[in-house]
Amino acid sequence: MASALAGAAAGAGFVVSAGLAASAALAGAWVGGAAAALAALGTAGHMQHTYANGGKYWNDELSKITWNAPEGVEAMEYLLKLVKAQVPKYEDLAIASEAGRKDVIQITDWAPEKFVTMINGSWGFFNMKQQAAHIDYSVFPFPRNANSANSKGFTANSGGWMFSIPKAAKDKDAAWEFIKFTTTSERACWFVKQQNRPSPVLACNEDPELSRGNPYWKVVTQDLQNNVMVPHSPVSPQLQDIYWKMEEDVMFQKATPKQALDDAAREGQKLLDDWNSKRKK
Amino acid sequence: MAARELVETTRADVAPRRRGALVRREIFWGYFFISPWIIGLLAFTAGPLLASIYFGFTDYPILSGPTWVGLENYEKIFGSDRQFGASLWNTAYFVLIRVPLHLSLALALALLLNRAVRGLGFFRTAIYLPSMIPIVALAVVWRVLLDPRTGYVNYFLSFAGVTPINWLTSQEWAKPVIIFVSLFHVGIAMIIFLAGLGSVPEHLYEAAAIDGANPFQRFFSITLPMITPVILYNLVIDVINSFQVFAYAFVMTKGGPADASLFYVLYIQRQAFEFFRMGYASALSTILFLIILVFTALLMRFSKHWVQYDRI
């Protein structure tokens, strides 16, 4: 199955901060504009911090779960420390509509507190304008672990829009040409510009009209360059369920970071093995 | 005399034949008039039920056809599925707590509204009205009201010195809150109880009053036994509905936090429409069908010990 990135969910991992109730001790460990952020937990918190810490969730061949490697464990320990430093209970961070899942801190929930959160796409600017225009905020690239040479502050792109060509498609070449047209052509640049979204073609993002006076557009384009595509499979939604649960188990302190990551890795590995064995048949 | 005998003999010969024809005609028209329901039952209930049982033995990722895998789905469910147990426990908790609460509340309200007081129509309407609200709308409204920072519930509790409670994001509160919100649909059971109370003969109360029975004695010796068929009906319906609880959690908590409100049907929905594992979801559905069937059969089986049909 061939696929191409069609609409970049670019910026999956850059951080918006509105003031900061930071913990100085933690701020020393991770550097970046929002080092001691109450960064996004739930869905993408650990994944993003693992990639930023030089780790991966699984290998590119989709055969081995790697979120329990030292980079992942370190990232989870950091997140747990971060949460403990900020709130008495993890549930204080969760929002009612998702209850610990998905985007834990929503812009609409910012209210009077000082928060740092992660927004998952350039639409975050629009949301800020619409729902929280009164908030004075700044945007920074995703933080990296200052204690690790492997940590480059990369962010994981696990979403976005994909065009896929099924194996059984009648006219694969024509489909491929269509995908190239809709993603990398000049018209594709125009198309994403109309939506005020970044393009997977970096040159398109240099167009000053695209930023429309947004002072933080450079963070978006910079993040795109540091963005790592996470390979996906049909079992990705199930894997997601496993690693969401893993993160909740740690944050609700049902298990230690290492325990939760190892247990979840075992479960995820079983799923991947099962899928791979069926794929080979 | 002879003519009379002839007539009676003829009647005796013809009547069974005519009666048979009449019965057959009645049967035909009976089935004819209920045929839309029968077709609906076959097409939309029995058909999908049988299909679901079949798909439970297959691997069916929707995009490709179902592949027969035998008992594999059931082996996974009972062998290694961590969320199966959690969702079953959450659902059992919901059924065990919610059903008695719901029925008691419905009966209490029905008893209150069965009295001849001024403005009875208004009270009946006011209490029934929330039942008209779709579950999704009710859940959305309560999600807003229960918001820990901006919701009115915490706001009003703050006057009593209560610190803000994370109603929907705390593992302790999520299920009780969902049960509480579900009680706003009490009106339907209440109306049925009200109808049952209306059928209790007045002369029984009069006789009891003459005998000096107090209100509690009248309730436990007359009202309650007389409405046991209605209680059984509400109980069966409530147990079935409670096992199938879905929308409240889907809207208010998405099953969180940490699966604290992951109810069984929500888990089926997740398997079917998020993971596209139709075979696995069908197997889960079959298990739920069997659980409900067993509970319903048990309720019906034991009902003969406490339901008194002959009294009405």
Side-chain angles (χ1 to χ4, degrees):
Chain A
M1 190 177 277
S3 64
L5 181 68
F14 58 84
V15 179
V16 175
S17 82
L20 197 57
S23 148
L26 287 165
W30 284 60
V31 295
L38 278 182
L41 302 167
T43 53
H46 180 253
M47 177 185 258
Q48 294 299 351
H49 281 82
T50 300
Y51 278 79
N53 199 26
K56 278 184 175 181
Y57 252 35
W58 44 76
N59 63 359
D60 292 341
E61 293 74 34
L62 279 159
S63 61
K64 185 161 176 50
I65 297 290
T66 54
W67 62 55
N68 59 336
E71 294 85 0
V73 177
E74 213 171 31
M76 191 67 99
E77 283 167 350
Y78 168 74
L79 282 172
L80 182 62
K81 236 193 297 182
L82 198 59
V83 168
K84 280 184 175 172
Q86 298 289 340
V87 289
K89 283 181 181 174
Y90 176 61
E91 65 191 46
D92 294 333
L93 287 179
I95 58 162
S97 59
E98 305 294 351
R101 286 179 176 271
K102 309 207 171 151
D103 305 309
V104 173
I105 302 168
Q106 275 190 339
I107 289 166
T108 44
D109 287 338
W110 281 23
E113 295 97 341
K114 292 176 177 179
F115 277 135
V116 173
T117 188
M118 182 181 77
I119 56 174
N120 293 324
S122 54
W123 51 85
F125 295 117
F126 176 78
N127 290 347
M128 287 294 296
K129 205 170 161 184
Q130 289 288 308
Q131 299 172 18
H134 60 290
I135 290 178
D136 181 23
Y137 70 92
S138 299
V139 182
F140 302 95
F142 204 82
R144 66 181 178 81
N145 184 357
N147 295 332
S148 165
N150 283 339
S151 176
K152 310 283 186 206
F154 287 161
T155 52
N157 194 332
S158 63
W161 287 263
M162 298 278 191
F163 285 126
S164 296
I165 306 173
K167 270 183 191 167
K170 278 183 188 166
D171 208 340
K172 291 191 188 69
D173 292 336
W176 180 237
E177 287 304 317
F178 176 73
I179 286 175
K180 281 198 287 184
F181 171 75
T182 51
T183 54
T184 59
S185 69
E186 202 180 310
R187 298 308 291 166
C189 270
W190 176 87
F191 185 63
V192 290
K193 199 163 77 181
Q194 304 315 304
Q195 302 168 66
N196 207 27
R197 289 178 188 278
S199 163
V201 180
L202 294 178
C204 298
N205 300 327
E206 300 300 325
D207 187 339
E209 212 185 301
L210 194 58
S211 69
R212 288 183 191 164
N214 182 346
Y216 305 114
W217 193 252
K218 265 209 173 313
V219 181
V220 177
T221 53
Q222 188 187 336
D223 185 77
L224 266 177
Q225 293 180 57
N226 286 340
N227 212 229
V228 179
M229 276 296 291
V230 178
H232 280 295
S233 67
V235 293
S236 289
Q238 283 166 266
L239 286 173
Q240 182 177 266
D241 198 52
I242 292 169
Y243 62 74
W244 283 0
K245 178 74 172 39
M246 163 182 93
E247 198 157 329
E248 285 178 334
D249 282 348
V250 175
M251 295 306 155
F252 282 109
Q253 298 186 43
K254 288 181 170 176
T256 65
K258 178 85 177 111
Q259 251 176 347
L261 287 160
D262 284 346
D263 288 350
R266 263 192 298 277
E267 202 178 340
Q269 190 62 51
K270 211 173 155 202
L271 201 63
L272 270 190
D273 290 345
D274 194 31
W275 172 68
N276 275 308
S277 68
K278 280 181 186 163
R279 192 161 63 139
K280 278 166 195 161
K281 282 178 198 168
Chain B
M1 188 70 184
R4 194 173 170 183
E5 275 175 6
L6 181 67
V7 169
E8 281 179 359
T9 311
T10 313
R11 252 188 213 160
D13 287 345
V14 172
R17 261 187 285 144
R18 286 184 62 189
R19 225 182 2 250
L22 197 65
V23 167
R24 276 197 299 278
R25 201 182 307 159
E26 277 187 356
I27 288 171
F28 169 79
W29 284 111
Y31 278 119
F32 178 80
F33 284 117
I34 63 165
S35 60
W37 179 83
I38 291 175
I39 292 166
L41 178 78
L42 292 174
F44 301 114
T45 304
L49 177 70
L50 294 174
S52 175
I53 292 170
Y54 165 72
F55 288 135
F57 296 105
T58 67
D59 178 21
Y60 185 16
I62 301 185
L63 288 176
S64 55
T67 315
W68 183 263
V69 292
L71 291 171
E72 193 183 301
N73 289 328
Y74 291 94
E75 283 166 10
K76 280 184 188 164
I77 290 170
F78 292 111
S80 58
D81 189 340
R82 62 183 163 82
Q83 286 176 310
F84 167 70
S87 63
L88 207 55
W89 158 244
N90 289 334
T91 308
Y93 178 102
F94 185 84
V95 173
L96 287 172
I97 306 288
R98 196 253 186 188
V99 170
L101 269 180
H102 183 237
L103 292 184
S104 310
L105 183 65
L107 182 57
L109 288 170
L111 287 167
L112 281 175
L113 296 176
N114 197 39
R115 302 167 74 89
V117 290
R118 275 183 67 186
L120 189 63
F122 168 78
F123 290 119
R124 284 182 174 181
T125 309
I127 291 173
Y128 184 74
L129 215 53
S131 304
M132 303 290 285
I133 302 170
I135 292 177
V136 171
L138 188 71
V140 167
V141 168
W142 274 102
R143 197 179 73 192
V144 173
L145 292 174
L146 292 165
D147 187 286
R149 294 183 202 124
T150 56
Y152 277 106
V153 175
N154 275 351
Y155 173 71
F156 286 120
L157 286 176
S158 71
F159 292 119
V162 178
T163 51
I165 297 170
N166 296 307
W167 298 105
L168 297 173
T169 57
S170 116
Q171 294 178 90
E172 291 77 32
W173 281 108
K175 275 195 292 284
V177 162
I178 289 174
I179 290 172
F180 168 77
V181 173
S182 77
L183 294 179
F184 279 79
H185 270 192
V186 72
I188 297 160
M190 180 202 75
I191 286 283
I192 295 166
F193 275 133
L194 211 47
L197 290 171
S199 69
V200 179
E202 196 58 37
H203 65 84
L204 295 178
Y205 293 113
E206 288 165 6
I210 291 166
D211 287 346
N214 64 34
F216 282 102
Q217 287 169 321
R218 288 204 292 272
F219 174 73
F220 285 107
S221 303
I222 300 172
T223 311
L224 214 52
M226 292 300 286
I227 62 165
T228 47
V230 181
I231 294 174
L232 175 67
Y233 172 80
N234 269 339
L235 178 65
V236 170
I237 296 294
D238 218 17
V239 166
I240 293 172
N241 286 342
S242 297
F243 266 114
Q244 297 179 56
V245 58
F246 166 72
Y248 296 109
F250 183 73
V251 174
M252 295 170 81
T253 61
K254 285 279 188 290
D259 292 344
S261 61
L262 180 67
F263 294 117
Y264 197 90
V265 175
L266 184 59
Y267 185 48
I268 294 175
Q269 181 271 344
R270 196 178 282 177
Q271 289 292 339
F273 301 107
E274 287 184 26
F275 306 157
F276 301 112
R277 299 173 80 197
M278 282 295 165
Y280 198 79
S282 296
L284 286 167
S285 305
T286 305
I287 293 169
L288 180 63
F289 169 71
L290 291 174
I291 291 172
I292 293 176
L293 190 70
V294 167
F295 268 86
T296 310
L298 285 174
L299 287 175
M300 297 307 288
R301 172 78 181 77
F302 288 106
S303 68
K304 65 181 175 194
H305 298 297
W306 61 275
V307 177
Q308 299 171 27
Y309 291 103
D310 52 338
R311 292 211 180 179
I312 289 187

